[in-house]
């Protein structure tokens, strides 16, 4: 009897899409406006989905307050009001596309969570563009 | 060729999280503000997802009006403007966490639906906290 | 050059509509399901709107962090996860309709804010029912 | 390491549910208001979900601009501000239920996309009624 | 002490923008895709805003259930799943633009409401296009 | 008989709050995380509200397609995927707070619109923080 518990958090960050092995022309052609050297930004919406059995004593799969604190400490407090390319270690050598941000967040949280849980990340870059990753 | 049809309904209810085998201190520690003896409440958003084959005569998997009536008769008309702990039989001896409410609703609707359908329940307790259950 | 700055906050509370000078039958007739003696509840969405001149040094009408802290300290931390009828002083003798809650919140915040500001309260009881009050 | 990338688009169309092999009475009984011979309409919300590996050079599963252009050229520019029954070839002999529209869109886009990708369609007919199809 | 009470309702309708005193070319030029002779459609979202004094006995400006029933009986039950141009008397000789629909709804409801109330109509044709009218 | 027509558009930009006449310490104290020298960013939601009489020939206050094109040409195409501080002339010497951005957009559009119209700008910096300006 597996139930999935989800928590929605947000962070507001600047970023730029860029591949340093390509020249400026190729970067502009592939990434278009997202390659602006002065950066642009987003209100990212993050949904963290944790699946597991219900604990009969609490009626919880996971204490959502614990999950919220985990997300804030290890993800949103680190990423919020930051420049992903310049301020966040994980994107020093990794292009901060929505896909890569989702994988990075999955890796961060997977390590902090009890391995009995399944984990899935949804990340909304805008109202119209979003990605999902579940480690498979 | 399986299609999933979803219907979104809402109900507004009071509840309290509490485990009667624990003392007040332990309940306060585990459930925090949610343990308030005078109750608090939510606008619950319920999404009922039914999967099956498209009927070639109607183009429907299931008549959504029939599904809506089923949800209202057996779930939302019973739960809406109620105190889940005091007024709803299923929670007399079951802690009304989002997880347990989702399982209770799945059990109610599974029994009413043609067994050929798969059923999944999504339940939003707030904009930021929600759960899913598909009977597995 | 007046600009209005708005902050959206939420609180989840139980309540019951009831007029103690009426008998049970009259209360049931006027308030319907909202009169349930065991209470029901809502995720209230509160929008606080403050109007004033832009400070040329900061570019702010009001520091939104200060406004957020004010709302939390004096309104949402007091109302969240509470029973409005039983736990909140202001509703001991005042029916906690959306209209009255909005007026109560306006009165609380008006007194805390610099009188140079205009104040308006929007309060959403559900997605479909909401009220506004600006002290006039 | 599979990631799903989603794009949300909209189109506004008229339609009518009707089965030509049934008489008017049977159609009215099955489809109710949706059988109105003068049509009614919806703001359809379409979410196209494409799953695949992240390209290490771009950090993309698929260029979302390319996906957006594909959806617009082959789906929303064709369906938007149209009468699905009268103006769209695919519904000349197919009842334009949400289920059938989702299958039609899946078929259109599946053929245009690189076969390495998995494809899923979500189609919202209203805020409360929506369907999903992934070709299985 | 005036409070505004709002109720959100929806209706799904087909329509076409057309001025019968112009020829086809002029209509196509002015109304573009909205002039499609086969109609298109929308999920209209209607917000009805009623302003007045709080009744000290009920704590209500107006009983929102009464307001909901009024909107449904005189507006949404009449307009929902209809073709505005063909099925609705008021648009037989009036172009059903969002602006005109809002004015028509205001006129319908103004006459049904106690004249002591101020009335404002908001009408969303899509997520991105909407209008407001308050009879002034 | 004045009707207000609104159009919702979006742009995604980086920015930083900073007053060059203050030292780093004072800036950090006043603007907190928003002062990050590497910038952060937002998905700005812009609602442009134009009020005027309905033209009896078209049923429009203003052609919303014309309004959309105006907003895109003079505002969102200029601001989208940009760094407000570095890339946008108007913020070279003006702190890009939500308040100041709203005033700048109002000034840009006021000059392009027929003076017979009233204009109001709503700007959402996040889901929870937003401002309004109507030139008064």
């Amino acid at each position: 009897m597996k139930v999935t518990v989800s928590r929605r958090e947000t962070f507001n960050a600047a970023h730029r899409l860029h591949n340093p092995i390509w020249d400026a022309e190729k970067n502009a052609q592939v990434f278009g406006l997202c390659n602006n050297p002065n950066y642009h930004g987003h209100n990212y919406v993050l949904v963290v989905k944790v699946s597991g059995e219900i604990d009969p004593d609490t009626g919880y799969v996971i204490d959502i307050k614990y999950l919220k604190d985990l997300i804030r400490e290890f993800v949103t407090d680190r990423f919020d009001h930051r420049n992903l390319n310049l301020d966040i270690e994980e994107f020093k050598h990794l292009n901060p596309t929505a896909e890569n941000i989702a994988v990075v967040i999955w890796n961060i949280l997977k390590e902090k969570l009890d391995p009995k849980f399944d984990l899935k990340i949804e990340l909304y870059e805008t109202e119209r563009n979003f990605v999902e990753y579940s480690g498979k």
Side-chain angles (χ1 to χ4, degrees), chain A:
Chain A
M1 215 171 71
K2 252 187 178 169
V3 172
T4 299
V5 173
S6 297
R7 175 71 188 175
R8 184 185 190 276
E9 291 288 333
T10 57
F11 60 96
N12 312 322
H15 82 151
R16 174 201 190 193
L17 301 188
H18 185 75
N19 184 338
I21 68 171
W22 291 339
D23 63 16
E25 197 187 349
K26 170 86 172 171
N27 270 292
Q29 178 204 314
V30 172
F31 296 119
L33 292 173
C34 298
N35 185 239
N36 177 8
N38 287 334
Y39 309 97
H40 64 285
H42 297 290
N43 299 331
Y44 290 93
V45 176
L46 169 65
V47 178
V48 176
K49 305 175 89 74
V50 173
S51 304
E53 304 287 327
I54 298 178
D55 176 328
D57 284 336
T58 58
Y60 286 163
V61 166
I62 187 173
D63 182 341
I64 202 120
K65 194 187 167 310
Y66 169 81
L67 179 61
K68 177 183 76 171
D69 291 345
L70 210 68
I71 300 169
R72 293 194 176 177
E73 180 175 357
F74 295 104
V75 181
T76 55
D77 283 356
R78 285 185 57 216
F79 290 9
D80 188 40
H81 282 71
R82 295 283 180 254
N83 182 308
L84 297 180
N85 305 64
L86 301 180
D87 298 330
I88 306 299
E89 192 56 36
E90 287 89 339
F91 301 108
K92 288 269 159 80
H93 306 290
L94 181 69
N95 203 10
T97 59
E99 290 92 327
N100 281 336
I101 302 171
V103 171
V104 161
I105 293 173
W106 190 91
N107 287 334
I108 291 172
L109 291 176
K110 184 63 186 168
E111 191 184 296
K112 303 293 174 190
L113 280 168
D114 189 320
K116 74 181 174 183
F117 292 125
D118 290 328
L119 174 66
K120 184 177 173 182
I121 297 299
E122 290 180 4
L123 185 74
Y124 294 76
E125 196 170 81
T126 69
E127 300 170 332
R128 315 185 81 174
N129 298 340
F130 53 101
V131 302
E132 296 160 58
Y133 179 63
S134 58
K136 283 163 203 164

